[in-house]
Amino acid sequence: QVQLVESGGGSVQAGGSLRLSCAASGYTYSTYYMAWFRQAPGKEREGVAAIDSGRTTTYADSVKGRFTISRDNAKNTLFLQMNSLTAEDTALYYCAAARPLPAWYLLRRSEYNYWGQGTQVTASS
């Protein structure tokens, strides 16, 4: 049974940092592409960052230079380091897993097979 469990969310002041983690189990983690999505109240779920089975990464324009996605294949864990947080980053953050994808699909929600339950991130100004 596939499980993705996010942790590390919380409330910070604008300008602060958080590090999200996603523990994966129930499938061959190292062969899947992984991503972080987020959904703010009243908005569509959007892709934030993705990483292939190695170290190649993709970011949404809104987080480039502030967020870093990484993975530890030995520990079946995905990370998202978030710096310089703003109120616009406030959302429920989800990790997701997909079988290998073309690069232009990496932030497309419909391409991901497995999802976690989400962790709340709130940045207040």
Side-chain angles (χ1 to χ4, degrees):
Q1 180 180 355
V2 174
Q3 277 197 314
L4 298 174
V5 180
E6 302 95 337
S7 61
S11 296
V12 297
Q13 294 284 333
S17 299
L18 284 172
R19 189 190 195 207
L20 305 184
S21 299
C22 173
S25 61
Y27 68 103
T28 308
Y29 174 77
S30 62
T31 65
Y32 273 64
Y33 289 17
M34 300 294 296
W36 289 96
F37 288 76
R38 68 186 181 187
Q39 188 166 17
K43 294 189 176 181
E44 294 286 321
R45 192 173 299 187
E46 62 174 356
V48 173
I51 186 168
D52 69 6
S53 54
R55 295 181 182 271
T56 301
T57 57
T58 299
Y59 295 93
D61 288 344
S62 59
V63 306
K64 279 180 183 175
R66 300 188 299 121
F67 290 11
T68 303
I69 188 172
S70 61
R71 65 189 296 165
D72 184 336
N73 286 344
K75 296 184 178 179
N76 288 5
T77 305
L78 178 72
F79 303 100
L80 184 69
Q81 177 66 44
M82 304 185 295
N83 298 328
S84 302
L85 285 161
T86 72
E88 288 68 39
D89 297 315
T90 296
L92 191 59
Y93 282 70
Y94 299 89
C95 73
R99 295 179 180 87
L101 299 169
W104 53 90
Y105 289 162
L106 283 172
L107 294 180
R108 184 177 294 188
R109 173 185 175 182
S110 61
E111 300 298 326
Y112 284 79
N113 311 103
Y114 305 118
W115 293 85
Q117 294 300 307
T119 185
Q120 179 67 38
V121 170
T122 303
S124 56
S125 54

